[in-house]
Amino acid sequence: MPEGSYLYCDVSLPVPMDQPFTYALPETLRHRARPGCRIVAPFGARKLTGVILRCHDEPPPMAAREALRLIDAEPVLDAELLALGRWIAGYYCAPLGEVLRGMLPLASEIRRGKVWSLTDSGRDAARQLVLDSSPDDPVSKILRMLERRSLSAAYLSKALPLADKAMRSLERRGFIAAEQVETDRDPLRAPSERLRIELAGGGCPWARCQAE
């Protein structure tokens, strides 16, 4: 086995259990997985994103489930920050997975945007408008999409180049309505390049507290 290629990795997951979880590494990840990288792994019926703590060849007592996907080509948390995370978890008696999630920047960022839905009158008019319009008409496309479920303005703008103009028209006619939504941005799924830039710039709140 080439140097730096491992069969297993211990992963810290953002769950209320103070223990790492050992996963088998697929052959395609064995030479790429490194401590401090984020990895997607099965946890019960869910898929969670965690941080690799250690890579090794020691088989666990029970059969290990296989990790699914490596998010980062390079670690987003270096050895010093991982050590700091362990200290914080021990000092505050907190699960390490939750501590590491809080150490990553963007944890407090809020993503804001509009979500569009059909109004009652829009639902009444949608079928007739769809029947009377060309399938390529942006208004018709938006109505068909919103009949199935509410969609964000960002998604509609990306899916349809002329969506903004069509949505303004539908809103003026009272067929659609927008709701402002706010969601927490999950640092475990943020782009690795931005995480590394913010960490290098002192973006880790725990590191700032430690420095102060």
Side-chain angles (χ1 to χ4, degrees):
M1 185 181 301
E3 185 179 354
S5 180
Y6 299 96
L7 297 175
Y8 303 98
C9 65
D10 294 340
V11 179
S12 183
L13 295 172
V15 296
M17 300 173 68
D18 193 16
Q19 65 178 77
F21 299 89
T22 301
Y23 289 92
L25 287 167
E27 189 171 352
T28 54
L29 300 185
R30 290 176 186 174
H31 65 289
R32 297 165 49 205
R34 297 167 61 187
C37 291
R38 293 166 300 170
I39 196 166
V40 180
F43 187 79
R46 297 179 291 165
K47 298 176 183 177
L48 298 180
T49 304
V51 177
I52 297 175
L53 300 177
R54 187 170 74 102
C55 298
H56 57 88
D57 296 324
E58 304 163 15
M62 301 175 62
R65 299 178 72 179
E66 196 168 80
L68 303 174
R69 181 168 60 90
L70 189 68
I71 294 179
D72 307 305
E74 298 291 335
V76 294
L77 291 175
D78 60 20
E80 184 179 350
L81 287 175
L82 287 176
L84 175 61
R86 290 188 179 94
W87 180 88
I88 293 168
Y91 186 84
Y92 290 101
C93 299
L96 179 58
E98 295 290 350
V99 171
L100 294 180
R101 184 183 187 277
M103 287 178 65
L104 292 170
L106 307 179
S108 62
E109 277 197 7
I110 300 295
R111 192 158 34 189
R112 297 178 175 85
K114 286 183 179 179
V115 172
W116 291 97
S117 305
L118 290 179
T119 62
D120 290 339
S121 59
R123 292 186 184 283
D124 294 338
R127 185 170 300 174
Q128 187 61 44
L129 283 172
V130 169
L131 290 174
D132 292 344
S133 304
S134 165
D136 296 328
D137 178 40
V139 169
S140 177
K141 286 183 177 180
I142 291 172
L143 288 172
R144 285 200 302 271
M145 294 168 73
L146 292 180
E147 271 192 308
R148 293 192 289 270
R149 62 187 177 93
S150 300
L151 294 169
S152 69
Y155 177 87
L156 288 168
S157 297
K158 186 175 181 180
L160 301 171
L162 300 177
D164 290 343
K165 182 178 180 181
M167 286 188 292
R168 286 196 297 270
S169 173
L170 288 168
E171 185 181 26
R172 284 196 301 269
R173 296 159 75 178
F175 291 158
I176 64 173
E179 179 186 0
Q180 290 286 345
V181 296
E182 296 184 352
T183 56
D184 291 325
R185 186 167 186 174
D186 189 350
L188 286 176
R189 296 187 179 275
S192 58
E193 293 80 4
R194 184 169 181 182
L195 285 179
R196 283 193 290 271
I197 290 170
E198 295 211 6
L199 285 168
C204 170
W206 292 108
R208 288 199 301 270
C209 290
Q210 192 76 354
E212 294 169 358

